[in-house]
Every structure is written in structure tokens, then in C-alpha cells.
Amino acid sequence: MFNQKVIVSFLIITTAIASNVSIAGETEELKLIQILKDDVNSNDGLGNPRSVKVLSDNSKVFISSGDDNAFAVFNLDDNFNLTFSQVFKNSSESISGLEGASGLISLEHGNKVVVTGFYDGALTIFSSKSNAYSFKKTISDGLSYERVFDSEVPVGKLDSLGLLGAWDIVNTLNEKQLLIASYMSNAISIFDITPDKQVIFNRTVKGAKPFEDDLGKAISLALSPFNDELYVLGFEKHQLTIFDRSKTGNLLVKQVLKNGSDGVNQFVNPQKIIVSPNGKFLYIACAGSSSIVVFHKLDDGHFKFLQAINNSDIGGSGLEGAGSLAMTADGSRLYAAGEAGYGIYLFETEDNGRLSFKSKLLSVRDNELKKISSITLTEDNRHLLVATGKNNSVFVFNIK
């Protein structure tokens, strides 16, 4: 997705990999259903797939494409086979905001989809009518790639929306707010969803005072199960900022955890965060240390370092550039992968939140599982979808 003009380390960590792919198939958990490849069998919008979302009724799959600068829609049949339906690209007439498409969420049971555009610094909104999607609007400050990424002059007040380098996006349970982590703005941008379903800018949050001046280059975020806490990862400063969140959406910084402080280790370039269903544990994939770091919640509401899993725990290699996580609905299992590594790694979670390595899958039907950019579990925990970034494909598995 990134070209040579920009060196953004969370997509180009290239640690040497020594894994032996021939020892594939050590897990019996996953059964391959389908492999979708960009520009094969009429599939489109799979150039560097970044985010994959499945509707709760398993009727549709939405995919953002960082290199096609696209949002793609696939239909699902009763056997969980995907069929290409629609694609929207920046190159299409009157559509903008999808350059470097990354984060993606669906609202209103799939009737609305919102996609973040990293390079366009934008939110692009699509809506559904009569089972077909259409472009609705783009929200952006309209600053060019050159102005944001190439210029040495700070953008200052031109960055009014806090969407520059928009990467990750989440919505609240009541679907009244969207929260976006934006790398170049180094901000959380908050949008309200009005009763008539309009998306309206509310404010940006850029500070972590009194603990830190800023968010450390915000790249990923998550809400607690009851939406009363917000967790923000700062990629460059190896930082986790924790906010208390009120019922009205007000945020108050409660805690900042950083690599090398308060017993925290192997917390380098945190890229993806998962919250356990009970809200007691945080699981964070760290690209720079090729690790999964676990924090547990204390009785006073603060979090403390619990565990770090790295390549030495899984056989020597595979989690390089760790950036993808998915957890089962009951919190009993965690899937992980590294974009510069090989394979899908399955961990079991103990009652105390600690992870124990269970199995791995390195290839399937002579296809190596590498360059993995995201892992998605369906809500019923019966299927796993694995996007392979620069390999321009999506693997679809049944979970036995």
C-alpha cells in the first residue's frame, strides 16, 4: 500500500524469516473452503486486502483494499462460499476517499459501511438499498498526499478533522459514535451518528496528559465490552493510552503504559489490540518485537503487564511483524499472525488470561500463509477469514 515516498514502519517491517514452511498443517482446527485471489475468477478489490468484516447473519462480506484503493462486497451462500458482487474504487467517477483504504465497519445491520482512507485522510460512506450498495459521501479535509506526507511544513489548523492517516475505526454498541485512529494526525477523531443516520464530526482527541503529551502516533483502538473504556495504541512511542469513557462519550485519560516502564517489555510498535469478552485482559500484537503482549486488569481498574509471547514460544519464528489478532466469542482461543512472518498461530487462553500455544498452520493446498494483514472470525465462531496483504488474496476456513 505504501510507496517509496513514505516509510511507515508498520507495513514494511522486514525481519529475516527462518521458518520451514514444509512443516505445514500442524493444526486440525481449520478446513479450507475457498481461496479468493484478486483479478482471478472475476474477483476484484483484493489488492492488498486490509480489513474483512462479515455480517452477523453470514450474508455478506466487506473488504477494504489498500492497493486497489477500493471497497468490495461479496455475497455468501449457505455453504459459506463467497461470490464477488460489487467494487468501488477511487478511480471510479465521483468516488474519493479510498486511497490506501484500511479500516472498515458496518452499521445498521449492514445497511451502511464506513471505510477509512489512509492516504486520502478520509471516511467514505456507502449505503445499501434493494440489496445493492452505492457511494454516499466522503468526509475529509481534502489535503493532498504531497501536503500531508511529503511536505516538511506542518499542516497545523488545516487538519481540522483529525483524519490524516486514518487507519483503524470502531463504533459504539449503540451505534451513536464512530472513533477513528489517525496516524499522521496522531489523533482519535470522534463522529456522532444522528437519529436520522447522518455522520457528523464531533471532536478530536490528541493528548494523553497528565501522563504523556500525545498518543504516540495513534494506529489502532478498541472499546471495552461495555464501552466504558477506550484503548489506543501509539505505534512509534510503543504506547497504550487508556481512557475512561462516560455514557455520553466524554473521555478522560486514566493510564498510559509504555515499553520499558512498569515492567512492560516486548511492547515495540503495538499494532493491533483485542479486548477479552469479560474486559479483564488486553491482547496486543506488536510488530516491532514480533510479540503478543497481554495486560490484565487490577481491582483498582488499572492494567498491568502479564505476559509476552514471542517466536521462541511458537517454535522459533512466524510472528515477525505481528499485526493480526482474532478472539473467539467466549475468549477461550486467540488466533494470531505476523505480516512479515508465516502462518496462523492458535493459542488457548487460561482463566488468568495467560496464553498457551496450541497449534499452527503454515500452508494449505500448497499455498503458503504469509503476508497476513488481518484475521476475521465470524460471530458464530464457525469460520475464519484470512487476508494476505501484498499476496492479494483471502483464505476462507471452516473451524472444526
Side-chain angles (χ1 to χ4, degrees):
M1 185 173 86
F2 290 82
N3 61 34
Q4 294 180 352
K5 292 182 179 179
V6 176
I7 306 299
V8 180
S9 52
F10 55 86
L11 283 182
I12 59 170
I13 291 175
T14 53
T15 308
I17 299 170
S19 61
N20 181 3
V21 180
S22 64
I23 61 171
E26 294 183 19
T27 178
E28 297 180 354
E29 302 290 328
L30 302 176
K31 178 182 178 182
L32 182 68
I33 296 176
Q34 190 178 19
I35 303 174
L36 299 133
K37 297 183 177 182
D38 195 37
D39 298 325
V40 175
N41 296 328
S42 301
N43 293 318
D44 200 357
L46 297 179
N48 189 11
R50 303 309 308 178
S51 295
V52 179
K53 304 294 182 185
V54 185
L55 288 184
S56 58
D57 64 359
N58 290 345
S59 62
K60 292 188 181 297
V61 175
F62 306 122
I63 301 174
S64 64
S65 164
D67 285 355
D68 282 347
N69 307 312
F71 159 58
V73 182
F74 290 78
N75 293 326
L76 277 167
D77 65 17
D78 292 339
N79 296 314
F80 211 86
N81 286 294
L82 281 71
T83 303
F84 174 75
S85 176
Q86 291 177 273
V87 68
F88 302 88
K89 298 184 178 183
N90 253 17
S91 56
S92 302
E93 184 178 354
S94 302
I95 295 179
S96 63
L98 293 173
E99 190 78 15
S102 50
L104 182 155
I105 55 111
S106 67
L107 303 167
E108 304 168 26
H109 305 290
N111 288 323
K112 182 176 291 182
V113 178
V114 184
V115 183
T116 62
F118 183 86
Y119 288 124
D120 276 341
L123 298 182
T124 305
I125 302 171
F126 301 86
S127 60
S128 174
K129 186 176 181 180
S130 301
N131 204 36
Y133 287 82
S134 60
F135 168 74
K136 185 174 182 181
K137 66 183 293 187
T138 295
I139 300 172
S140 171
D141 279 320
L143 299 179
S144 68
Y145 171 93
E146 291 75 19
R147 182 66 181 88
V148 176
F149 292 91
D150 279 351
S151 176
E152 296 181 359
V153 180
V155 295
K157 293 183 180 180
L158 296 175
D159 179 18
S160 64
L161 296 174
L163 289 175
L164 305 181
W167 186 254
D168 197 12
I169 181 171
V170 297
N171 61 279
T172 55
L173 288 172
N174 60 13
E175 296 194 351
K176 290 186 176 181
Q177 277 194 335
L178 304 178
L179 299 97
I180 301 97
S182 300
Y183 179 87
M184 296 302 289
S185 292
N186 195 14
I188 300 304
S189 183
I190 301 173
F191 286 77
D192 294 331
I193 302 175
T194 64
D196 62 352
K197 310 302 182 184
Q198 299 300 307
V199 177
I200 305 297
F201 175 70
N202 181 310
R203 69 191 188 279
T204 60
V205 176
K206 294 190 175 184
K209 293 181 178 180
F211 306 103
E212 293 288 332
D213 288 337
D214 60 43
L215 297 174
K217 285 294 188 179
I219 193 62
S220 182
L221 73 174
L223 287 161
S224 62
F226 294 106
N227 289 188
D228 56 355
E229 289 181 329
L230 173 69
Y231 315 102
V232 181
L233 299 182
F235 186 85
E236 300 296 349
K237 292 189 176 181
H238 324 300
Q239 177 174 323
L240 166 63
T241 304
I242 301 173
F243 295 86
D244 277 327
R245 181 178 181 275
S246 71
K247 292 181 179 180
T248 58
N250 291 325
L251 298 174
L252 178 66
V253 180
K254 178 166 70 175
Q255 186 180 9
V256 172
L257 292 161
K258 299 188 72 171
N259 190 54
S261 300
D262 301 315
V264 179
N265 64 79
Q266 301 185 58
F267 195 65
V268 181
N269 303 131
Q271 185 172 333
K272 177 68 176 178
I273 180 169
I274 291 287
V275 186
S276 66
N278 62 12
K280 293 182 179 180
F281 307 102
L282 306 178
Y283 299 90
I284 300 172
C286 299
S289 47
S290 303
S291 60
I292 304 168
V293 174
V294 186
F295 294 93
H296 69 111
K297 197 169 192 176
L298 303 175
D299 291 340
D300 65 2
H302 289 77
F303 282 85
K304 184 179 180 180
F305 176 85
L306 177 66
Q307 182 189 26
I309 294 286
N310 58 36
N311 282 327
S312 66
D313 300 296
I314 61 168
S317 63
L319 284 177
E320 291 82 359
S324 296
L325 297 173
M327 178 168 272
T328 55
D330 62 0
S332 64
R333 295 186 176 189
L334 181 81
Y335 296 88
E339 194 156 3
Y342 281 100
I344 304 168
Y345 296 82
L346 175 60
F347 299 85
E348 290 186 340
T349 59
E350 301 172 11
D351 290 342
N352 62 7
R354 297 179 68 90
L355 296 174
S356 59
F357 174 56
K358 185 175 186 293
S359 60
K360 60 186 174 182
L361 181 65
L362 302 182
S363 68
V364 59
R365 296 182 190 172
D366 298 323
N367 292 275
E368 296 174 354
L369 289 166
K370 60 182 182 179
K371 301 182 181 179
I372 293 173
S373 51
S374 69
I375 304 172
T376 303
L377 269 168
T378 55
E379 288 191 17
D380 59 13
N381 294 306
R382 295 176 60 190
H383 298 92
L384 189 77
L385 294 90
V386 180
T388 63
K390 290 293 186 177
N391 272 1
N392 307 324
S393 60
V394 174
F395 289 72
V396 184
F397 294 95
N398 173 253
I399 300 173
K400 298 180 181 179

